Every structure is written in structure tokens, then in C-alpha cells.
């Protein structure tokens, strides 16, 4: 179903729904009158000042009117450190290579440490994470370790990778689970924690759901198609009310290749970016599991959401095929008012889609045996957004991805529900899902009335035929990104119809006086940024926005400085910069203690591509991805 057929989908949608969403929509975004958002600062105050100086001046002058936001915003920064508002403190919790067990070796910055050491240490490139409280002063953390920077992992910077080097990288991927404890000095890792565990690219896992046992998941090592080794390129996450952790496999395509140059990659795998070349990680050269010519089905066994029990280090992680196979960003989990589990899912690639899963069965409080099967069976949907020309709001529909419906039939190349899920991207195209500007993290407001998704950027928008300009993707060659917001009909997230608008459009108002490149009204010189990525709410409804964008601080991105974290009030539309990260780092991953008085944030890939960071230890030390702990000097709630 093509984009032009949206009129047919609109015909059965209800009229504008609740007044709350209408009010937010009417005030949030406008192409015109952008300069009004600058308030008393005025344009003239910024003329003749450098972009960073403008940002500093703007931050000093910015007033916070929101009832939710109480901190003084920080200016943009290019410092090699984590900068937080006055009255806040930053400490380090754990960095790549730190020991997770009492018998683990300390981090060796030489790059010569063996794979066996990395298996006992915190993995690389921290990303999504969740905290599971044990008591007021103890908790378990589950943290994604997305990938490795070969320029730092090895002493040869990836120029002479051996079999042990590949195993070392595989041990640096996956998930780290570890206990933390709070003392008078703050939070620290308990290396004696009985729940401490490393889950890597070689950890045995069970495949569950409709695709389990399908021919496309069978290999010589696993003729049943029911068990797979490992998880890797784990981006963001989710957390269930029954105490499990959802880790999401994203760019799995990067790890496959073939030693047979004549191998032809099937079109189904090409859609996921699979190629014969394996230049960066070179796993296929030393581990035949990743050689496409030897194991052509192995890529189909990755790209899933994996459910992990952090309270049982002997438990086997479960790959939940009912949630579809694509480059998962996070899994925004909620229990709808009708009792169904609803999971929103973004596919982080230019021109891919936004999804929703609704469980078949309902959640039953205090019945974990039942609840742990909720993600095994349900219905997957892809989003279709509609809008009038030039409008930045409209209606939408979730289109069912079920075998036999909406053209998902043998005539169109789908022979079972397993194939629909294994080739979710192809199914989404078949039914006419809207191609998006890299849908990344999704977050559901604590009142469950709205959900938000970061659309980080898209250089192909308006250039590729299947990625037209319009609706929630309003800019050609989208360099800055935006955040789309939707509200389901009657507040019911299991419904197919929804209303949507853009909560914000990122831009650079120091370069552009008006229009979409300047950003929406709530983007000003004091809070401008690019490429919103991570996203999460606290219990009061503050929206925390993390960025993974261009940190060149020049040309289109002049004045933006390093990547950052912002705090938004969805009701007032205000957005204020809360934190800036070190040189060449992404700010990602977010979790809180239950009282919301401690925030844990991930600082990923500082100094990537030898950019010159020495975070977190300073001096001439090797940069390391790190989880930092943020608290208020007065012990108050973060952001308030």
C-alpha cells in the first residue's frame, strides 16, 4: 500500500479526540513566528558573538517557567568532561574494562589484554540500561554494551586482528549485569555481587515465539532452530513489571561477511545491510559462524528483542521473535488500561519504520509465570502517518503485520507468520508503513496519554523515491532531527487509530532566522542541538532527551558543541539543556533510583576515531565509555 493511498486509511479514523492533545498540538510546533520563542533575548543580542558565546549568554539569560523544570540550564560546551547545572554533582560508577568480579583483572590500557580478561570485565560502549532495586541501598543494573572501538580495544587499532582479538571483541559486546551498593561515599559496584554476570556474543539463548524452529533459523550447529549463541550490537532497552530486562539488537549486519568473494547476498539480507565485506570487526575471518557462505541463516537469528532475568544468573536469555526482526533501538514497554502488554519499537535506519506490539494475553499482577509468556504471542503493527500538505500534525493508523492480511501472502513472498517476522522490514513495506527519519527511542508518558519517538536525522529524505518529504518527516536532507508525538484513540494503546504532532523540530536558529532549519518555536540559541536519540520520562513527566549527533561545532552545527542531554516539559513545550558530554561522545542510556534522586547516564565512545578525549580519567589516559552518577547537592529530585 503506497503513500498516496492514505485517504483510504483516513476514512475510518475518528475525529480529533481529547482536548489535552489538541491543546498541546496547537501550541507545540509552527513553521512561522519562530523568533517569538527567543523571548526577551532578541536577535541583536547575539550579533557579533561567537556561537558558543551566544549559547553561554543565552543559557545565562534563559528563564525556566515550567512547573516541572527547576534547574538552571547549562550552555553548550566543547570541554572534555560532563557538565551539569549548578547544585549538581557527577561521579563515575563504572567504565569499560573495570572488573565485575572479585577475581577479574584491572583494566589494561595497553590494548594487549586477552579475551579471557574482557569476559570478566564491564563491556564496551555502554548504552541502554535499567535498574532493579534490591533495597534502599542495593540494586542490580543491567547495561547494554553495544559495540567496540577497535582503535582503542587493540594495541594495533584493528590492523592485525587475530582469533583471540575476535573473541575479545565478542566478550566486550552484549550485556553486563552487576550489583551496586550505596554507602556514605555514594554508589559503587559490588564485585562480590552474587547476581553479577556477563552476557556476550557467545552466551546460549533460546528462540521463542512464532519464528522459533523455522527453517530460516536453522543452522548446522542448531538444526532445531531453537537455540542461538549470543547477542551483540545491543542498543537500547526496556523493562517489564515482572522484573525482566529487554535488550535490543540493532546493527547486527556489521558482524557478517564471507571469505568466499563469489557469495551472492540474498535480497532479503541486503534489506538489512548484509554485505560480503567484513572490514571493521572481521569476525567472519576467524569465526565461521559469521561467514555467510558457511552459515547463510545465521543473520536471521539476530536483530531481535532479548528478554533477560537479571535476578537469576543461571537463566537462559529469550529471543522474542513475536516482536519482529529489524535494527531495534529500544523497547518502550507499558501495560495498557485494558491489561495488554504494549511495546513500541523503532527501527533505526534511514527510511525504516515505527512498530507496535500488542500481547495476545493480559498482564496478571503477581503472576510472573504467566506474565513471562506475554511477549511470546501477540500482534505486531507498523505505523502509517497521514497529514495534509505542509501540516506538522495529523492522523495515523497501525497496520497489522499478520500472515494472510494486508497483502502478506504467498503471492507477495510471505509463506508463514514466521517469515513475516523474520523479514519484518519487507512486510512493513508491503503493507505501506511510513518510512521515517531513523526512528530511535520511544518513550511513553507516565500518564499513558501520549508516546514520543526521536527521529534523529536522514540524509536521504527527499532524495530517495520511497522517502518523500511530508508529515512527521518535513525536511529534505534532515540534518537536525525531530521528535514525533502521538496519542491513541480514547487513550487505548491497543487501538489502531491515533493522532500525532511534532513535539519539537531541532534546528540552528543562529544560522537560520526562520523556517524549519531554525527549528520549532521551542528551539532557541540557548538549547539548540541536533540528532535526538535517547529518550525517557521520569515519574513526574519530565522528558529527558539525549543526543548522538554531529559535534564538529561548525558549519550547520556551529554553536551546538558536544553531544548533550536536555529536559523537556511536554505540557509547556519548554526544553532546557541539562548536561553536556565530553569530546566525541554520545550521551545515552538513562535510569533512576526509585526516589528519582539519583540519575545514571551513559557516556559512550568518548574520543571515537582518535578525536583526542581522555575521559574519564584525564591526563593522557585512554578514553573509556563510562556510566556516571548524577545527584543534587541538596539531595532533591533530579530536574525539579
Amino acid at each position: 500500500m503506497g503513500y498516496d493511498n492514505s485517504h483510504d486509511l483516513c476514512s475510518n479514523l475518528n475525529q480529533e479526540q481529547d482536548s489535552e492533545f489538541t491543546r498541546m498540538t496547537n501550541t507545540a510546533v509552527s513553521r512561522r513566528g519562530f523568533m517569538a520563542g527567543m523571548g526577551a533575548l532578541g536577535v541583536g543580542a547575539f550579533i557579533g558573538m561567537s556561537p558558543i558565546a551566544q549559547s553561554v549568554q543565552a543559557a545565562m539569560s534563559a528563564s525556566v517557567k515550567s512547573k516541572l523544570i527547576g534547574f538552571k540550564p547549562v550552555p553548550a560546551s566543547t570541554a572534555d568532561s560532563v557538565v551539569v547545572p549548578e547544585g549538581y554533582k557527577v561521579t563515575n560508577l563504572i567504565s569499560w574494562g573495570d572488573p565485575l568480579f572479585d577475581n577479574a583483572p584491572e583494566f589494561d590500557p595497553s590494548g594487549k589484554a586477552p579475551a579471557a580478561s574482557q569476559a570478566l570485565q564491564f563491556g564496551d560502549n555502554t548504552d541502554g540500561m535499567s535498574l532493579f532495586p534490591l533495597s534502599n541501598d542495593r540494586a542490580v543494573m543491567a547495561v547494554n554494551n553495544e559495540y567496540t572501538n577497535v582503535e582503542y580495544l587493540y594495541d594495533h587499532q584493528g590492523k592485525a586482528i587475530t582469533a583471540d582479538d575476535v573473541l575479545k571483541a565478542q566478550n566486550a559486546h552484549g550485556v553486563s549485569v552487576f550489583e551496586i551498593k550505596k554507602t556514605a561515599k555514594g554508589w559503587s559496584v559490588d564485585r562480590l555481587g552474587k547476581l553479577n554476570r556477563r552476557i556476550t556474543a557467545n552466551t546460549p539463548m533460546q528462540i521463542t515465539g512464532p519464528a522459533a524452529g523455522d527453517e530460516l533459523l536453522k543452522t548446522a550447529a542448531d538444526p532445531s532452530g531453537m537455540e542461538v549463541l549470543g547477542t551483540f550490537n545491543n542498543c537500547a532497552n526496556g523493562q517489564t513489571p515482572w522484573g525482566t530486562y529487554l535488550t535490543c539488537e540493532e546493527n547486527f549486519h556489521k558482524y557478517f561477511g564471507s571469505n568466499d568473494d563469489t557469495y551472492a547476498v540474498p535480497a532479503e539480507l541486503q534489506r538489512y545491510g548484509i554485505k560480503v565485506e567484513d572490514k571493521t570487526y572481521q569476525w567472519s575471518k576467524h569465526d565461521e559462524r559469521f561467514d555467510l557462505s558457511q552459515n547463510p541463516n545465521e543473520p536471521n537469528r539476530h536483530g531481535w528483542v532479548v528478554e533477560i532475568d537479571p535476578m537469576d544468573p543461571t537463566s537462559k536469555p529469550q529471543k522474542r521473535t513475536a516482536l519482529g526482526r529489524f535494527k531495534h533501538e529500544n523497547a518502550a514497554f507499558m501495560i495498557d488500561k485494558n491489561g495488554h502488554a504494549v511495546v513500541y519499537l523503532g527501527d533505526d535506519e534511514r527510511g525504516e519504520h515505527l512498530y507496535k506490539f500488542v500481547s495476545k494475553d493480559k498482564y496478571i499482577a503477581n503472576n510472573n509465570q504467566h506474565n513471562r509468556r506475554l511477549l511470546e504471542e501477540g500482534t505486531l503493527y507498523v505505523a502509517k502517518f497521514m497529514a495534509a500538505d505542509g501540516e506538522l500534525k495529523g492522523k495515523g493508523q497501525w497496520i497489522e503485520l499478520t500472515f494472510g492480511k494486508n497483502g502478506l501472502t504467498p503471492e507477495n513472498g510471505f509463506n508463514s507468520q514466521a517469515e513475516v517476522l523474520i523479514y519484518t522490514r519487507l512486510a512493513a513495506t508491503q503493507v505501506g508503513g511510513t518510512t521515517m527519519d531513523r526512528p530511535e527511542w520511544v518513550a511513553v508518558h507516565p500518564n499513558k496519554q501520549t508516546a514520543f519517538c526521536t527521529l534523529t536525522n536522514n540524509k536521504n529524505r527527499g532524495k530517495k523515491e520511497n522517502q518523500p518529504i511530508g508529515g512527521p518527516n518535513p525536511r529534505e536532507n534532515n540534518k537536525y532531527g525531530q521528535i514525533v508525538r502521538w496519542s491513541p484513540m480514547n487513550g487505548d494503546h491497543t487501538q489502531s487509530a491515533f493522532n500525532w504532532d511534532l513535539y519539537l523540530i531541532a534546528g540552528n536558529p543562529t544560522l537560520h532566522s526562520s523556517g524549519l532549519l531554525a527549528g520549532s518555536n521551542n528551539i532557541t540559541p540557548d538549547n539548540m542541538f541536533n540528532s535526538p536519540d535517547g529518550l525517557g520520562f521520569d515519574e513526574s513527566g519530565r522528558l529527558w532527551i539525549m543526543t548522538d549527533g554531529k559535534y564538529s561545532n561548525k558549519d550547520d552545527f556551529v554553536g551546538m558543541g558536544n553531544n548533550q542531554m536536555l529536559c523537556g516539559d511536554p505540557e509547556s513545550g519548554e526544553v532546557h539543556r541539562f548536561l553536556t558530554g565530553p569530546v566525541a561522545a554520545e550521551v545515552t542510556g538513562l535510569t533512576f533510583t526509585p526516589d528519582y534522586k539519583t540519575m545514571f547516564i551513559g557516556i559512550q565512545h568518548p574520543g571515537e576515531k582518535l578525536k583526542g578525549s581522555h575521559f574519564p580519567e584525564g591526563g593522557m589516559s585512554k578514553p573509556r565509555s563510562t556510566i556516571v552518577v548524577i545527584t543534587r547537592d541538596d539531595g532533591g529530585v533530579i530536574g525539579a
Side-chain angles (χ1 to χ4, degrees):
M1 190 181 303
Y3 184 85
D4 293 336
N5 291 328
S6 60
H7 176 75
D8 296 332
L9 292 173
C10 284
S11 62
N12 61 1
L13 296 182
N14 295 332
Q15 298 298 313
E16 200 75 30
Q17 46 183 14
D18 58 73
S19 59
E20 177 187 8
F21 187 76
T22 303
R23 182 176 66 255
M24 292 188 296
T25 298
N26 290 338
T27 59
V29 182
S30 172
R31 298 190 194 209
R32 303 170 299 278
F34 142 81
M35 297 306 292
M38 294 177 62
L41 294 176
V43 182
F46 295 90
I47 295 176
M49 300 173 64
S50 71
I52 284 288
Q54 291 178 21
S55 180
V56 172
Q57 180 65 38
M60 292 174 62
S61 305
S63 61
V64 179
K65 300 177 181 178
S66 167
K67 296 178 181 179
L68 290 178
I69 303 174
F71 61 87
K72 182 179 179 181
V74 301
S77 171
T78 57
D80 193 28
S81 61
V82 175
V83 179
V84 293
E86 295 177 7
Y88 285 79
K89 179 174 66 175
V90 181
T91 57
N92 299 327
L93 178 68
I94 191 170
S95 299
W96 161 50
D98 282 349
L100 283 184
F101 307 91
D102 192 45
N103 63 341
E106 295 290 340
F107 175 71
D108 180 357
S110 72
K112 297 180 179 180
S117 295
Q118 181 62 74
L120 301 174
Q121 297 168 332
F122 184 58
D124 201 1
N125 281 330
T126 176
D127 207 311
M129 56 183 161
S130 293
L131 183 139
F132 299 84
L134 297 173
S135 66
N136 289 335
D137 56 5
R138 293 191 69 86
V140 176
M141 291 197 75
V143 182
N144 289 350
N145 300 118
E146 186 177 10
Y147 69 103
T148 61
N149 297 101
V150 296
E151 64 269 33
Y152 296 121
L153 183 65
Y154 310 123
D155 61 331
H156 52 69
Q157 299 181 357
K159 299 175 182 177
I161 292 178
T162 66
D164 191 70
D165 287 336
V166 167
L167 182 58
K168 180 179 179 180
Q170 292 173 344
N171 287 342
H173 283 69
V175 178
S176 296
V177 180
F178 54 94
E179 295 185 38
I180 60 175
K181 58 184 179 180
K182 185 180 181 181
T183 65
K185 295 182 179 180
W187 289 94
S188 62
V189 175
D190 184 358
R191 298 181 185 179
L192 296 175
K194 295 181 180 179
L195 302 179
N196 294 3
R197 180 185 188 186
R198 277 305 321 279
I199 297 170
T200 73
N202 291 297
T203 301
M205 302 186 175
Q206 183 179 357
I207 302 173
T208 76
D214 189 80
E215 289 296 322
L216 291 169
L217 298 184
K218 295 179 180 180
T219 65
D222 174 32
S224 70
M226 299 290 290
E227 183 171 282
V228 60
L229 292 181
T231 184
F232 43 88
N233 212 275
N234 302 76
C235 190
N237 62 300
Q239 188 169 353
T240 71
W242 51 87
T244 58
Y245 181 70
L246 304 178
T247 184
C248 301
E249 299 175 341
E250 190 188 16
N251 293 308
F252 63 92
H253 69 288
K254 295 181 178 180
Y255 303 89
F256 293 91
S258 179
N259 296 314
D260 181 359
D261 293 337
T262 65
Y263 176 78
V265 179
E268 294 85 356
L269 293 184
Q270 290 182 32
R271 177 64 185 270
Y272 288 88
I274 303 290
K275 298 179 180 179
V276 172
E277 297 82 9
D278 178 14
K279 296 181 180 179
T280 301
Y281 296 109
Q282 301 179 39
W283 289 9
S284 65
K285 296 180 180 179
H286 299 280
D287 185 342
E288 71 172 19
R289 180 158 66 102
F290 297 91
D291 188 327
L292 297 167
S293 61
Q294 299 296 316
N295 290 284
N297 280 350
E298 187 67 25
N300 296 333
R301 295 150 63 86
H302 305 278
W304 305 101
V305 173
V306 185
E307 187 170 6
I308 297 169
D309 183 356
M311 300 301 174
D312 182 1
T314 67
S315 61
K316 182 177 289 188
Q318 312 284 305
K319 293 206 176 187
R320 301 302 195 189
T321 66
L323 276 66
R325 174 175 164 268
F326 42 89
K327 295 180 181 179
H328 286 275
E329 186 71 16
N330 80 323
F333 184 99
M334 64 169 292
I335 299 297
D336 186 74
K337 64 182 182 180
N338 295 320
H340 292 278
V342 177
V343 188
Y344 287 111
L345 308 153
D347 184 354
D348 181 13
E349 191 156 320
R350 290 181 287 271
E352 289 301 335
H353 304 279
L354 178 65
Y355 298 88
K356 178 182 74 171
F357 169 84
V358 178
S359 66
K360 177 184 177 181
D361 295 327
K362 296 182 179 182
Y363 172 76
I364 302 176
N366 302 317
N367 189 341
N368 285 350
Q369 183 177 1
H370 165 83
N371 295 331
R372 292 193 181 200
R373 297 193 298 269
L374 287 183
L375 300 184
E376 292 187 14
E377 191 174 3
T379 305
L380 189 66
Y381 302 84
V382 65
K384 178 78 173 181
F385 291 81
M386 287 81 72
D389 289 345
E391 288 291 328
L392 301 177
K393 60 181 180 179
K395 298 182 181 294
Q397 186 173 39
W398 295 101
I399 307 174
E400 187 173 344
L401 299 178
T402 296
F403 175 65
K405 297 183 179 181
N406 299 318
L408 299 177
T409 60
E411 293 78 9
N412 292 316
F414 299 94
N415 298 295
S416 65
Q417 183 62 19
E419 290 191 12
V420 169
L421 296 169
I422 293 170
Y423 300 135
T424 304
R425 284 184 167 182
L426 298 177
T429 297
Q430 176 64 43
V431 305
T434 299
T435 59
M436 307 291 282
D437 287 350
R438 290 185 59 193
E440 300 218 37
W441 292 47
V442 181
V444 180
H445 193 284
N447 67 16
K448 298 185 180 181
Q449 295 299 305
T450 52
F452 297 67
C453 178
T454 50
L455 304 175
T456 194
N457 56 54
N458 185 1
K459 67 182 181 181
N460 295 334
R461 179 62 58 186
K463 297 182 178 181
K464 289 194 173 183
E465 184 178 354
N466 71 331
Q467 299 180 46
I469 300 169
N473 311 286
R475 293 181 292 193
E476 181 181 12
N477 185 23
N478 180 13
K479 298 178 181 179
Y480 297 123
Q482 62 269 7
I483 298 178
V484 65
R485 165 175 53 188
W486 63 94
S487 178
M489 283 297 161
N490 304 315
D492 182 355
H493 288 265
T494 68
Q495 293 294 305
S496 62
F498 61 90
N499 291 327
W500 69 269
D501 77 330
L502 291 179
Y503 168 63
L504 63 78
I505 302 175
N508 193 326
T510 66
L511 290 179
H512 309 281
S513 61
S514 63
L516 292 180
L517 292 179
S520 49
N521 287 347
N522 48 1
I523 301 302
T524 67
D526 68 287
N527 69 2
M528 61 182 182
F529 62 93
N530 73 89
S531 300
D533 186 341
L535 201 65
F537 278 102
D538 61 26
E539 67 172 355
S540 297
R542 297 178 193 87
L543 181 62
W544 297 93
I545 305 164
M546 295 156 277
T547 75
D548 178 23
K550 294 290 186 179
Y551 44 74
S552 63
N553 198 44
K554 62 182 181 180
D555 301 326
D556 294 307
F557 312 99
V558 65
M560 294 183 175
N562 296 342
N563 276 305
Q564 55 192 275
M565 182 181 194
L566 306 105
C567 184
D569 181 341
E571 181 66 24
S572 70
E574 289 177 72
V575 180
H576 294 277
R577 186 182 294 112
F578 177 78
L579 171 154
T580 58
V583 170
E586 170 187 353
V587 180
T588 185
L590 170 69
T591 193
F592 294 90
T593 52
D595 59 9
Y596 289 89
K597 294 181 178 180
T598 302
M599 170 191 282
F600 300 89
I601 291 294
I603 303 299
Q604 188 188 96
H605 62 68
E608 65 174 352
K609 299 179 181 179
L610 306 176
K611 285 293 193 303
S613 173
H614 300 286
F615 180 83
E617 296 175 343
M620 295 304 295
S621 64
K622 177 175 286 190
R624 294 195 281 162
S625 294
T626 299
I627 295 176
V628 300
V629 183
I630 299 175
T631 54
R632 281 175 52 166
D633 295 341
D634 63 4
V637 171
I638 302 298

